[in-house]
Amino acid sequence: MMKFILKFLQRQPTCPNCDQKLPTKPIRKQACPHCGKFIFARNGALVTHDEAMIIDWLARLEIFGIARKDFDIYMSELSKQFGSQASVTDTLWRILNQLVRRSARDAHMLEQVYREMAGLASSEGRDPTAFLIEAERIRGRRLNISATSPERIALGDDELKYVRQLRKNGNLEKAEELLLKAYPSPAVLDELRKIASARAKIARKNKDWQAVVQHLEGYTDYATQWWDYCLQTVNQEPPLHTESDLKLLREARARLAGSVDT
Ligand SMILES: [Zn+2]
């Protein structure tokens, strides 16, 4: 009996995508050596990308009273309507849209639903701004701050991930546009710092020393402007330029001084 239990416990792990045996049990996201698809670990079990996404989102939707059985019902209803298997994202959008209707009388809930919509849009690589503005509007009305357009929006982890992806894809303008609309938390400022750094490097390649100084000093000015805000809100100073960016700034200033002399 004991032997049997041990054998059961030591059962070789299999890929949740292709069902083939794995040499070791992955403890985090890993590609399957057989099918190449990603394997995720959640609560000690190996699951597919879709299943991991469902588990992660159900944890977020729990406060709205959405459980696994609700998700499954929404998914099968949507699949029937589509005439083909609905995706996890389609199902999540359907649920969030239903929650907007259901939360119409509860401003606090409604604000949270819009923030989750921003998170879902961001995770799909789509601009979350409209949802974030709506969330701030509702918050403003709820707290009697303002009834019109909000001054700034709050970026969460999903939105920051989206911005990071924009920057990595070289879409610096769009990333910056969103960051400048956001509350200048240290995380937001750090992204702006990286954009300034990327722009300074491009300017150096073009030997545009004036632009190098402008980009790097531009960030310093913005960070200085929000220094007290960061200390007051999260008791953390805004991130500073890296050593290599400071070196580049000194070089650019020296070059400019040199060109003035000649
Ligand atoms: Zn596999």
Side-chain angles (χ1 to χ4, degrees), residues 43-62:
N43 313 321
L46 299 181
V47 296
T48 61
H49 168 266
D50 273 9
E51 187 58 28
M53 194 176 176
I54 294 170
I55 291 169
D56 294 348
W57 271 93
L58 282 175
R60 296 168 69 155
L61 298 177
E62 203 185 349

Side-chain angles (χ1 to χ4, degrees), residues 40-139:
F40 295 75
R42 290 289 183 281
N43 313 321
L46 299 181
V47 296
T48 61
H49 168 266
D50 273 9
E51 187 58 28
M53 194 176 176
I54 294 170
I55 291 169
D56 294 348
W57 271 93
L58 282 175
R60 296 168 69 155
L61 298 177
E62 203 185 349
I63 56 158
F64 305 111
I66 301 292
R68 181 59 191 244
K69 63 171 183 353
D70 304 308
F71 180 90
D72 292 342
I73 291 168
Y74 274 109
M75 194 178 222
S76 79
E77 276 177 1
L78 204 54
S79 300
K80 245 180 253 165
Q81 194 185 319
F82 287 172
S84 62
Q85 179 62 45
S87 70
V88 175
T89 345
D90 286 338
T91 310
L92 288 169
W93 277 117
R94 171 60 64 97
I95 291 172
L96 289 170
N97 279 312
Q98 285 289 333
L99 285 172
V100 165
R101 257 166 252 150
R102 222 199 278 171
S103 317
R105 285 160 191 274
D106 184 340
H108 194 268
M109 198 76 114
L110 195 58
E111 178 192 339
Q112 288 310 314
V113 176
Y114 276 108
R115 292 202 192 283
E116 295 301 345
M117 285 175 143
L120 186 55
S122 298
S123 73
E124 288 184 284
R126 294 201 287 128
D127 190 344
T129 309
F131 299 112
L132 293 172
I133 288 176
E134 196 52 38
E136 292 297 332
R137 258 196 211 125
I138 296 163
R139 182 172 176 272

